[in-house]
Amino acid sequence: MNVVNLLEFDLDGLTAFCEQLGEKRFRSTQLFRWIHQKGASDFAQMSDLAKSLREKLAGVATLRPLAVASEQASSDGTIKWLFDVGGGDAVETVFIPEDDRGTLCISAQAGCAVGCRFCSTGHQGFSRNLSSGEIVAQLWYAEHHLRRRLKLADGERAITNVVMMGMGEPLQNYAALLPALRVMLDDHAYGLSRRRVTVSTSGVVPMIDRLRDDCPVALAVSLHAPNDALRDDLVPLNRKYPIAELLAACKRYLDKAPRDFITFEYCMLDGVNDTPELAQQLVELVRDTVSCKFNLIPFNPFPESGLKRSPRDRVTAFAHVLQDAGVVTTVRKTRGDDIDAACGQLAGEVQDRTRVKQRLSTRAPIRIHRAEDARHSEDAAPSRQETNA
Ligand code: SAH
Ligand code: SF4
């Protein structure tokens, strides 16, 4: 029998596994709590588990954490871990502390096949999906490591929010994502509420519907453009699932969503998607269709992109157009700048097995719009700043 990694299982999966070993359901709950609530990695530590079960487990199961390749801490408290996932691939996980919460940004894939122009992960290409256990292992490690490091009292949690905004497109790895989400939400594990777990997607429409049916957590959709021509260019997946279909899926999602709005992320690219006209188009697009909030993300540059961050006054002007039309809009604070831990800078190490790099380099250069019109904005700031959904 192969040795099974228990981090792969949600509670139902663990129960089925324990039943195969001839154990009762409540035993699997105990085991699940030891793993996720107490961070135990050694069966010998699990003092209230029957000795016979501990011995049985020792032969057939293990708890396999990810290997930490490096850790970097930013001056603002952000911590970034690089985890070696074997085969020349490494993924990144980022902890972002704030006064009232601790957010963990988790990766879903080694690389990403969507290939968005402005995203460092997308430029690296795609290597492979992470397993459920590898997704959960990021949270398991961060939570228990931080509890010790921050000397938290019993019962205190380091991580209060999870965002699937690291490397990869979570909805292109749905089979692994779903059990991982269930572990995050389970009261016997991390007990996070659905509102505090956010899946961010570039718009895999059928999987938005699946998520709605299976496990409706908070949803963030990376929009980045108000029309198909521009979005086709920035987010190639748009050619498959154009904006109208994406918005229809968002609307369906709202029936079951834990929040009564969808968060639209919009990465502000200098001269590309940041004019007041495009902001107005966005208003027309979402007005009377989807209840939403906008989160404008100042572009985090990386050398190969050939793109630049929109100047601050242009971001402010863009936000004002949306706000004046009654669309709640925030500008994301950039965190972990000094350690390249900000959105879209997560690169890890990825063996490109799909030759995305080659495809990207043969694409036509991006069309830069002149944005003079956007320059005469005042410097009034958007209503509020926030870090994550
Ligand atoms: N694949 C998912 C989740 C990971 S990306 C998605 O695309 O939504 C998380 C967020 O970072 C997305 O909103 C993405 O558009 C944004 N992002 C990617 N590259 C960026 C960059 N260079 N600067 C700022 N934001 C970026
Ligand atoms: Fe993939 Fe998201 Fe990056 Fe696009 S922005 S390439 S979907 S990780």
Side-chain angles (χ1 to χ4, degrees), residues 56-114:
K56 247 190 255 177
L57 285 171
V60 296
T62 187
L63 200 122
R64 196 173 302 128
L66 293 176
V68 182
S70 68
E71 181 194 286
Q72 285 173 279
S74 159
S75 51
D76 68 13
T78 302
I79 302 172
K80 178 170 86 169
W81 292 282
L82 181 71
F83 292 109
D84 183 350
V85 294
D89 294 323
V91 299
E92 293 179 324
T93 307
V94 181
F95 173 65
I96 307 145
E98 287 173 275
D99 292 345
D100 59 340
R101 60 183 141 173
T103 301
L104 194 69
C105 177
I106 292 183
S107 293
Q109 299 178 312
C112 183
V114 178

Side-chain angles (χ1 to χ4, degrees), residues 17-30:
F17 178 73
C18 286
E19 275 167 2
Q20 280 174 18
L21 300 178
E23 295 290 336
K24 298 244 166 20
R25 188 180 178 97
F26 80 94
R27 291 283 178 216
S28 64
T29 308
Q30 273 182 315

Side-chain angles (χ1 to χ4, degrees), residues 112-356:
C112 183
V114 178
C116 300
R117 286 229 171 191
F118 48 82
C119 172
S120 173
T121 309
H123 273 252
Q124 285 187 306
F126 177 70
S127 181
R128 71 169 175 90
N129 281 328
L130 298 187
S131 69
S132 300
E134 289 169 326
I135 296 173
V136 168
Q138 298 169 60
L139 174 58
W140 183 85
Y141 176 82
E143 174 66 34
H144 298 293
H145 170 82
L146 289 168
R147 273 192 213 173
R148 289 190 295 272
R149 179 165 166 160
L150 305 173
K151 298 191 169 57
L152 299 185
D154 259 4
E156 256 189 296
R157 299 290 168 90
I159 290 153
T160 61
N161 295 56
V162 165
V163 293
M164 295 301 304
M165 292 185 186
M167 295 167 68
E169 169 48 60
L171 294 188
Q172 285 189 337
N173 185 16
Y174 190 77
L177 176 72
L178 187 60
L181 292 176
R182 290 189 166 134
V183 174
M184 295 172 197
L185 300 177
D186 201 306
D187 283 339
H188 298 294
Y190 302 91
L192 298 174
S193 80
R194 289 176 193 281
R195 302 161 55 87
R196 288 173 174 270
V197 175
T198 300
V199 168
S200 174
T201 180
S202 55
V204 191
V205 165
M207 293 300 146
I208 293 177
D209 287 325
R210 290 277 297 277
L211 189 67
R212 166 185 180 271
D213 293 338
D214 294 337
C215 191
V217 293
L219 185 68
V221 170
S222 296
L223 196 57
H224 309 307
N227 61 63
D228 285 325
L230 184 54
R231 194 164 191 270
D232 281 351
D233 201 25
L234 294 174
V235 184
L237 192 66
N238 196 68
R239 295 176 209 147
K240 195 161 180 192
Y241 304 115
I243 292 176
E245 284 181 32
L246 179 56
L247 293 189
C250 290
K251 215 171 156 189
R252 292 192 292 277
Y253 196 86
L254 280 171
D255 292 348
K256 296 223 190 134
R259 297 174 163 187
D260 56 4
F261 59 89
I262 303 286
T263 303
F264 287 128
E265 295 160 281
Y266 196 101
C267 178
M268 300 294 293
L269 303 165
D270 183 19
V272 174
N273 66 352
D274 62 351
T275 64
E277 292 74 17
L278 291 173
Q280 191 54 43
Q281 270 187 40
L282 269 185
V283 169
E284 308 302 328
L285 187 70
V286 300
R287 177 183 278 162
D288 308 325
T289 55
V290 185
S291 160
C292 63
K293 287 188 181 174
F294 270 84
N295 195 204
L296 306 181
I297 316 174
F299 170 60
N300 294 307
F302 57 97
E304 310 83 53
S305 73
L307 297 163
K308 286 192 298 198
R309 178 183 287 190
S310 302
R312 219 187 115 87
D313 62 348
R314 193 111 38 82
V315 178
T316 308
F318 197 93
H320 279 164
V321 173
L322 291 165
Q323 287 163 344
D324 290 349
V327 181
V328 176
T329 303
T330 55
V331 178
R332 186 175 298 177
K333 259 189 281 173
T334 298
R335 298 286 303 263
D337 248 353
D338 52 342
I339 55 167
D340 282 354
C343 288
Q345 287 185 321
L346 302 186
E349 278 165 31
V350 173
Q351 305 303 308
D352 181 7
R353 297 178 214 276
T354 54
R355 298 186 187 281
V356 168

